[in-house]
Amino acid sequence: MHWGMVIDLRRCIGCHACTVACQVENKLPLNERWNKVFTVGPEGEFPLVTSHFLPRPCMHCQDAPCVDGCPTGASQRRPDGIIIVHGERCIGCKFCMLVCPYGVRQFAAEKGIVQKCHLCYERLERGEMPRCVETCQLKARHAGDLDDPGSEVTALIKQANARPLYPYLGTKPSVYYIFP
């Protein structure tokens, strides 16, 4: 079992429902976002100008610099591939924030620790989908087992030639994107 996600950028309209759902699910303050959505563009020339949206949760990298660089072992990879932060071990040094090439970690000042998307692992353990996947009305997000050749995410990766962000970094992300 290796949990992963596919995000279809052809379907994402930048509504930020995933961001808000994540904030509500994890009881985050308004200024803390584990699931940001960026606007990419504009591209082209008038009148043919376009832009698209890029949701960026934690990539749950197989070769995660945040796990390797954490001095206290607070950042860890679970056997199912999900990267988590043990808050009781985190000393708030922010080194993991520095080494994450995707910029997805957030410092929770009120707690003095670093936090991030954990793919709603508690929901997954109950047989539910991550809140961001469940909330996306346009079905731009899909979560599943990357090790299962019959899973929806594996099929989407093959059918739509989905690929991770910045594969040249060698972090082996578990989040794939279908690009427009």
Side-chain angles (χ1 to χ4, degrees):
M1 168 60 89
H2 177 172
W3 283 105
M5 185 178 285
V6 174
I7 301 175
D8 189 342
L9 300 180
R10 301 169 304 181
R11 292 181 165 270
C12 179
I13 60 170
C15 69
H16 298 273
C18 54
T19 303
V20 174
C22 178
Q23 286 178 302
V24 170
E25 178 74 17
N26 294 289
K27 299 173 182 58
L28 302 178
L30 289 175
N31 63 342
E32 192 172 336
R33 293 175 185 89
W34 296 354
N35 203 339
K36 296 178 183 174
V37 178
F38 296 90
T39 302
V40 179
E43 299 166 346
E45 295 197 23
F46 181 81
L48 303 174
V49 179
T50 63
S51 62
H52 65 275
F53 302 96
L54 180 68
R56 202 165 62 198
C58 175
M59 300 294 147
H60 300 282
C61 303
Q62 295 174 58
D63 289 329
C66 60
V67 170
D68 297 337
C70 181
T72 64
S75 291
Q76 294 184 348
R77 179 181 305 99
R78 292 170 29 128
D80 59 9
I82 297 172
I83 306 292
I84 59 171
V85 177
H86 292 285
E88 70 280 0
R89 293 185 192 164
C90 181
I91 59 173
C93 71
K94 302 181 189 173
F95 187 71
C96 60
M97 293 175 69
L98 179 67
V99 298
C100 175
Y102 302 99
V104 297
R105 290 177 169 245
Q106 300 286 303
F107 184 69
E110 70 284 348
K111 295 179 182 177
I113 61 173
V114 175
Q115 298 180 311
K116 62 167 214 59
C117 161
H118 47 64
L119 209 59
C120 291
Y121 68 87
E122 301 98 344
R123 292 176 59 83
L124 292 171
E125 289 169 354
R126 293 191 306 260
E128 301 171 7
M129 282 287 110
R131 184 65 74 187
C132 62
V133 172
E134 182 181 89
T135 300
C136 184
Q137 295 299 301
L138 294 175
K139 307 294 183 216
R141 288 173 174 256
H142 308 268
D145 184 359
L146 295 173
D147 285 342
D148 178 0
S151 73
E152 178 186 29
V153 290
T154 304
L156 283 169
I157 290 168
K158 289 177 186 171
Q159 292 168 358
N161 192 29
R163 55 193 190 276
L165 284 181
Y166 318 135
Y168 54 85
L169 294 175
T171 60
K172 300 178 189 162
S174 298
V175 175
Y176 290 77
Y177 291 89
I178 299 172
F179 290 92

